[in-house]
Amino acid sequence: MTRLALLATGGTIATRATADGRAVSATAADLLATAGTDLDVTPVDAAGRLSFAATLDELAALARTVRETCASYDGVVLTHGTDTLEETAALLALTHDGATPVTITGAQRPFDDPAPDGPTNLAAALRWAAHGRPGVTVTFAGHVFPAIGVRKVDAEALTAFAAPGRGALAAADVDRVREHAVAPPTELADPPPTLPRVDVVAQYVGADDHAITAAADAGARGVVIAAFGAGNATPPVVGKARELLERGIPVAVASRTGSGPVAGLYAGGGAELARAGALFAGDLSPWQARLLLAVALAAHPDDPIGAAQEWMVRVGVA
């Protein structure tokens, strides 16, 4: 029988109400007991936090834990908070060995809700992991999404995740799996011991270069611009980005819109960023682009731009 590991890291799926607000209290064994699965699953408490509080060092440590767990099991399911699930999914995909199925799930409703969505999400994730398709995915609300390209698209709805422009790979529930498409394994680097600082700079009408300058002054080794539309930024931000690139600090460009790829099209905006050597991150969210750039910086400090460009091609965003 397929042997699975359930790594519980906290998140809404494991929270109960307290006087101070929702807090993580349900263990991996508690979560597994609600899933109603007949699969061979070993519950492991890997962490117990709300995902918005996670640090980069904790994320890097989690990637190493997942890699180590994969060596002993036929599949791994990770329960995780939805706030930063797409970022963890990206890091795991970039550092996974590619051979073992790893899928991430969570919930929009807490463990003690009268009608929780966690049990069905977890049951579907376990079934998908047992299905044996290699690589890292996200299983949520009956759908399986590619780790690269997935986004949280709704703050409250049970159908919180989607992969705009890509679609679901499969449908899954407690009993069965129906595949639609297959995502290629995406291992690009070993899990790093630590991740360097990469900041995201948002674009909005009239944005000056204060935020991007502050990021560089604070020691960011890379910057992602959450750009207008198809990849544009205000003239002051474009000018500062050119300066950072000339200093050897990588700058990536992703769209703030939530769907669709970026490209260097407009004079004074995206076209100028492209001429300056900025990385255009396809349809990745700014948050996934940040993790890709951070892993490239950690794995290839001498040529992070070249590594990131190659990886974007391999994961299908360039």
Side-chain angles (χ1 to χ4, degrees), residues 4-112:
L4 305 177
L6 168 59
L7 300 183
T9 70
T12 296
I13 192 172
T15 62
R16 293 183 174 95
T18 75
D20 295 323
R22 294 176 183 172
V24 174
S25 63
T27 66
D30 293 334
L31 296 174
L32 181 59
T34 71
T37 183
D38 58 357
L39 298 168
D40 180 6
V41 185
T42 301
V44 179
D45 291 303
R49 56 178 172 257
L50 294 167
S51 67
F52 61 76
T55 66
L56 281 178
D57 284 347
E58 288 170 337
L59 205 57
L62 180 59
R64 294 193 297 275
T65 296
V66 170
R67 174 69 75 95
E68 292 163 2
T69 305
C70 285
S72 302
Y73 291 89
D74 302 310
V76 175
V77 172
L78 192 75
T79 55
H80 196 282
T82 60
D83 280 352
T84 64
L85 188 151
E86 68 189 76
E87 291 155 271
T88 295
L91 179 62
L92 294 186
L94 293 168
T95 60
H96 182 49
D97 64 9
T100 305
V102 173
T103 196
I104 312 170
T105 193
Q108 290 286 78
R109 294 174 177 169
F111 185 83
D112 59 355

Side-chain angles (χ1 to χ4, degrees), residues 245 248-251 277-279 293 296-297 300 302-310:
L245 287 158
I249 298 175
V251 176
L279 290 160
L293 189 53
L297 281 159
H300 301 278
D302 296 331
D303 186 22
I305 292 179
Q309 286 175 326
E310 177 187 350

